Amino acid sequence: MKKAFITGITGQDGSYLAELLLEKGYRVYGMTRRTSTQNFERIKHIVHDDNLELISGDLIDQHSLTHALKDIQPEEIYNLAAQSFVKASWDQPVLTGEFTGLGVTRVLEAMRLACPNAKFYQASSSEMFGKVQEVPQTESTPFWPRSPYGVAKVYGHWITVNYRESFDMFATSGILFNHESPRRGLEFVTRKIANGVARVKLGKQQYVELGNLDAKRDWGYAKDYVEAMWMMLQQDEPDDFVVATGETHSVREFLQLSCKAAGLDDWEAVWKHNPEYDRPAEVDLLIGNSAKAQEKLGWKPSIDFEELVRIMVEAELERESANES
C-alpha cells in the first residue's frame, strides 16, 4: 500500500486529494495544526476511514515535519498548506511569508533528511504571474507577483526547483489557476458570491457586497485539479505544469451566472459595491495554457465554467435551506 503525506488536508484541495488517494488504495497521512478548535468539516465524511491518519505538525516547526516524515516514510508528499487568502496577505505579510514561502523549504528539508527518495508536489499558484507579461500564461512566462501571497508563492516555487536541481530530488510544482468548489472558504469571491446569491434567493440578505467586478480569472473545478496533482507524481521525471481551463471569466460573469442558477432575474439588484474588497494592486487578467499538462499528463478539465457555477450555487441553496430547519 502506497503512503502519501498531505499538508493542508483540511482545506479544499487537501480534502479532495485525500478522497482521491483513498479511492486509489493509498494510506493517507494528513498533517493538521494543533489549535483550540479543529475544523474537520471538509473531511468529516472520511475522517474515520481506516486508511486515513491525522497527525499534528506545523509548517513553521521544522522538527515536527522531519519527525513525521521519518516515521511515515511516504512515497508521495503533497504540500498544500499555506496562508492562502490573497487579501489577508497584505494584513499579515510576514506570517504569509513564513507559511507560504519558508514553509515549503521546511518540508523540502525534512524530505531531504528523512525520505529523499519520495516524490514531492508543491502547490504553486497563478498569482505568481500577477502583472502578466504574456497572455495566456505558460510554464515559461516570467513571474510578476502583485501581493505578498504571490511573492511568497514565487519563493516556494523556486525553492522547489532549487532542491530538485541541487539534490536530485523528485520535486515538482503545479502552477494551478483558480479552482473552486462548494468546499471553498467563504472568504473567497466565488464561494462568497454563490453563498450570497443563495441567501438573497432565500430572503436571508438583500445584497452581495463585492469589490472589482472587472477582474478576470481562469476558473476550474477543484476536483479536476487535484487529479492533475496526482498525475504529476506518477511521472518518471519531475517537471512543472500549468493547470488551467484556458478560458477567462470576470467576477461579473460569475455573479450573473450565479443569479441565473438561483432563478434571480436582475443581478444588478443583488450586487452592491464595497471598496473594502478592492485590492491595493489588482491582478487583472489570468488565463492559463495547460497544453503541456494535457500532452504529458493526459489531463483535461471535465467541468466547464457555467456547470461549476451551478454546482456551487445549488450546494449553497441546499446548505442555507438546511440551516433554516
Side-chain angles (χ1 to χ4, degrees):
M1 182 178 281
K2 285 177 87 171
K3 291 179 285 187
F5 178 80
I6 303 173
T7 71
I9 193 171
T10 58
Q12 169 188 256
D13 292 5
S15 66
Y16 281 121
L17 179 63
E19 276 180 5
L20 177 72
L21 295 177
L22 288 170
E23 287 169 9
K24 291 183 179 294
Y26 281 67
R27 180 160 180 78
V28 176
Y29 296 83
M31 190 183 80
T32 63
R33 294 171 62 206
R34 189 172 295 283
T35 57
S36 56
T37 57
Q38 291 283 11
N39 180 14
F40 294 151
E41 179 65 26
R42 295 184 182 95
I43 58 170
K44 63 183 180 182
H45 58 297
I46 57 171
V47 76
H48 298 299
D49 191 300
D50 290 342
N51 286 321
L52 174 66
E53 184 176 337
L54 300 179
I55 59 170
S56 291
D58 201 306
L59 286 188
I60 61 173
D61 181 5
Q62 182 71 61
H63 176 75
S64 69
L65 295 166
T66 308
H67 181 72
L69 293 183
K70 186 177 179 182
D71 278 356
I72 296 166
Q73 291 296 308
E75 282 86 2
E76 297 174 8
I77 299 167
Y78 297 86
N79 183 43
L80 309 185
Q83 189 302 98
S84 60
F85 187 35
V86 176
K87 187 176 184 297
S89 73
W90 276 286
D91 300 324
Q92 297 180 297
V94 176
L95 180 74
T96 300
E98 280 286 353
F99 279 110
T100 310
L102 286 173
V104 186
T105 312
R106 295 188 185 101
V107 180
L108 284 164
E109 187 64 6
M111 173 180 160
R112 186 179 73 85
L113 295 172
C115 52
N117 294 321
K119 293 183 174 183
F120 175 82
Y121 172 84
Q122 164 59 14
S124 288
S125 167
S126 60
E127 289 286 331
M128 301 188 304
F129 295 121
K131 188 175 179 180
V132 297
Q133 301 302 290
E134 64 180 4
V135 178
Q137 293 89 53
T138 70
E139 292 79 7
S140 59
T141 300
F143 301 137
W144 193 321
R146 298 270 279 170
S147 66
Y149 170 78
V151 172
K153 279 292 186 183
V154 170
Y155 175 90
H157 180 85
W158 281 118
I159 200 68
T160 301
V161 173
N162 185 257
Y163 268 67
R164 178 168 74 212
E165 295 178 350
S166 300
F167 304 113
D168 195 28
M169 291 164 59
F170 192 111
T172 185
S173 288
I175 306 173
L176 272 56
F177 280 64
N178 293 63
H179 46 289
E180 317 299 318
S181 76
R183 297 182 193 173
R184 243 323 189 187
L186 272 170
E187 67 272 25
F188 290 88
V189 69
T190 51
R191 173 86 191 283
K192 183 179 179 181
I193 292 172
N195 177 261
V197 165
R199 288 178 60 83
V200 170
K201 175 68 175 179
L202 296 170
K204 293 187 172 186
Q205 68 186 55
Q206 191 173 0
Y207 301 110
V208 180
E209 294 189 8
L210 298 167
N212 178 17
L213 293 186
D214 295 319
K216 293 183 176 181
R217 295 291 185 273
D218 184 327
W219 276 304
Y221 184 34
K223 208 167 181 179
D224 287 340
Y225 285 42
V226 300
E227 191 166 359
M229 299 176 188
W230 176 78
M231 287 175 167
M232 289 179 212
L233 295 199
Q234 309 318 305
Q235 304 305 299
D236 293 330
E237 298 294 332
D239 205 347
D240 304 324
F241 296 91
V242 163
V243 179
T245 68
E247 295 181 7
T248 186
H249 298 277
S250 66
V251 174
R252 179 182 284 100
E253 287 177 80
F254 202 102
L255 175 60
Q256 290 169 335
L257 285 174
S258 293
C259 289
K260 177 184 174 184
L264 295 171
D265 296 327
D266 186 0
W267 71 269
E268 289 181 289
V270 169
W271 166 67
K272 191 174 186 179
H273 179 249
N274 186 337
E276 284 188 19
Y277 298 128
D278 292 333
R279 292 185 183 181
E282 183 57 86
V283 175
D284 294 311
L285 179 59
L286 288 174
I287 177 169
N289 179 348
S290 60
K292 181 177 172 183
Q294 293 187 39
E295 179 187 342
K296 291 195 172 183
L297 305 179
W299 177 87
K300 63 180 180 179
S302 69
I303 298 292
D304 67 18
F305 180 66
E306 188 164 355
E307 176 74 357
L308 170 65
V309 175
R310 187 188 63 76
I311 289 170
M312 292 184 67
V313 172
E314 287 182 357
E316 294 304 320
L317 286 167
E318 186 178 332
R319 188 180 282 134
E320 289 293 334
S321 296
N323 288 343
E324 291 177 346
S325 55

